[in-house]
Amino acid sequence: MPARAARPARAHEPEDGPPTEPVARVRPTRLDADEDDLARGLGQLVLTIVELLRQLMERQAIRRVEAGGLDEDEVERLGRALLALERQMDELKETFGLTDEDLNLDLGPLGRLL
C-alpha cells in the first residue's frame, strides 16, 4: 500500500504545535450615529407601522360601509375618527421631518411596503 502524502502545513497552522502567526481579530464596527438621526429613524419606523395599520383600518371600514354593516351614525363617527388619525399622522410626519415616501419602505424583492 503506498504511503499517503503528508498534507502541506499552512502558515497559520503548523503540523505540530500552536499557530505561528497571530490570528487577526475583527473588532465590531462602532455605530457613529447622531442622536437626531436615531430619533428620526425610530420615528420613521413607528410612523410606518402606524400608517400601515391606519390604511388597513381604512380599507376594513370601507368594506364594512359597502357591506351595509354600519348605520349612519357609525359611518359618521368612523369617518371623523379616520380623518382625525390622518391629521395626527400629518403632524407627526412634520415633527420628524418625514414625507409619505419616507414611510413607504423598500422591502427589496417584495416591493414597496405601502
Side-chain angles (χ1 to χ4, degrees):
M1 173 174 247
R4 290 177 59 188
R7 189 179 93 204
R10 295 185 183 133
H12 66 279
E13 184 184 302
E15 288 187 18
D16 298 301
T20 56
E21 295 176 12
V23 177
R25 297 181 191 259
V26 177
R27 289 185 180 173
T29 57
R30 286 191 125 172
L31 178 61
D32 227 1
D34 181 0
E35 188 175 320
D36 291 336
D37 290 341
L38 292 174
R40 185 176 187 274
L42 181 60
Q44 180 180 12
L45 177 61
V46 170
L47 289 180
T48 297
I49 293 168
V50 171
E51 178 62 15
L52 177 62
L53 292 173
R54 187 194 69 75
Q55 287 184 16
L56 291 173
M57 288 174 24
E58 189 174 282
R59 290 180 190 143
Q60 181 65 25
I62 290 170
R63 279 190 218 108
R64 289 183 68 195
V65 169
E66 289 175 348
L70 302 173
D71 63 32
E72 283 185 38
D73 289 337
E74 290 172 322
V75 170
E76 185 66 29
R77 281 196 316 263
L78 186 57
R80 281 196 307 263
L82 290 172
L83 284 173
L85 182 56
E86 188 173 356
R87 276 188 297 241
Q88 289 173 337
M89 282 294 297
D90 289 340
E91 289 174 17
L92 288 169
K93 286 186 284 188
E94 187 176 322
T95 299
F96 286 100
L98 299 169
T99 64
D100 288 335
E101 187 58 31
D102 292 328
L103 303 184
N104 194 4
L105 301 178
D106 183 3
L107 300 177
L110 297 176
R112 306 296 285 178
L113 179 63
L114 302 173

